[in-house]
């Protein structure tokens, strides 16, 4: 099982994150510059421009937040507004089907958890490799954990 990544490992959409963070910086710089260059604006209007830029940046930073962190004891899934810690035994299956916007974790309680940290948006091949790595880790951990119910 030398194909397994060394733990801990973090999966996140790197290209998408880079685009979002770059856009956040550009929006803040451009809108702030426009607010300062428009001489007819009052200080309150300038402040409203900058506040709008900060609000847009907050949304972009929220979109850049998702990640999946795997360590020895389990997986932490960080999505847009929530974070969930899972033990390896809770993960029955890791899926990324053609057309899926991100990986889904099928859980032992019968639910499915989206893991937005692995998404094929801009870097499809990277997302497929990350999904396979997470799947291999989940399968290896289920074999390594003799107390995990099989089947």
């Amino acid at each position: 099982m030398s194909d397994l990544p060394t733990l801990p490992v973090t999966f996140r959409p790197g290209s998408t994150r880079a685009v979002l963070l770059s856009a956040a910086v550009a929006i803040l710089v451009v809108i702030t510059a426009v607010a300062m260059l428009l001489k007819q604006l009052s200080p309150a209007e300038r402040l409203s421009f900058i506040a709008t830029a900060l609000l847009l940046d907050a949304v972009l930073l929220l979109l850049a937040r998702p990640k999946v962190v795997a360590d020895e004891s389990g997986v932490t899934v960080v999505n847009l507004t929530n974070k969930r810690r899972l033990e390896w035994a809770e993960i029955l299956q890791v899926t990324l089907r053609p057309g899926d916007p991100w990986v889904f974790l099928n859980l032992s309680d019968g639910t499915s958890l989206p893991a937005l940290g692995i998404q094929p948006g801009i870097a499809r091949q990277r997302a497929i490799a990350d999904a396979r790595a997470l799947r291999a880790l989940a399968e290896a951990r289920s074999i390594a954990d003799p107390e995990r119910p099989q089947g």
Side-chain angles (χ1 to χ4, degrees):
M1 300 227 175
S2 61
D3 298 353
L4 294 177
T6 305
L7 294 177
V9 62
T10 300
F11 303 104
R12 65 173 17 137
S15 299
T16 302
R17 184 175 165 86
V19 168
L20 290 169
L21 295 177
S22 298
V25 170
I27 286 171
L28 184 60
V29 168
V30 169
I31 292 178
T32 301
V34 168
M36 295 303 141
L37 292 173
L38 293 175
K39 300 298 181 200
Q40 71 271 24
L41 295 180
S42 70
E45 290 170 325
R46 284 192 174 116
L47 187 59
S48 70
F49 268 64
I50 295 168
T52 300
L54 291 172
L55 183 62
L56 291 170
D57 278 4
V59 171
L60 293 175
L61 293 175
L62 189 66
L63 292 172
R65 184 174 183 248
K67 65 182 176 180
V68 177
V69 180
D71 59 33
E72 291 295 333
S73 61
V75 174
T76 302
V77 177
V78 179
N79 287 333
L80 296 178
T81 59
N82 61 1
K83 177 178 178 180
R84 183 162 174 196
R85 177 74 184 161
L86 300 166
E87 300 300 320
W88 285 111
E90 293 179 78
I91 302 171
L92 299 179
Q93 189 177 29
V94 177
T95 61
L96 178 61
R97 297 176 305 238
D100 280 351
W102 40 71
V103 161
F104 288 90
L105 305 177
N106 294 328
L107 306 178
S108 59
D109 65 1
T111 63
S112 181
L113 176 68
L116 280 65
I118 303 175
Q119 50 183 272
I122 295 175
R124 181 166 188 72
Q125 294 307 315
R126 168 73 188 264
I128 291 170
D130 288 352
R132 286 181 179 151
L134 184 58
R135 182 181 303 128
L137 284 168
E139 289 171 358
R141 294 291 174 213
S142 70
I143 293 169
D145 184 0
E147 296 179 18
R148 178 177 172 168
Q150 300 294 316

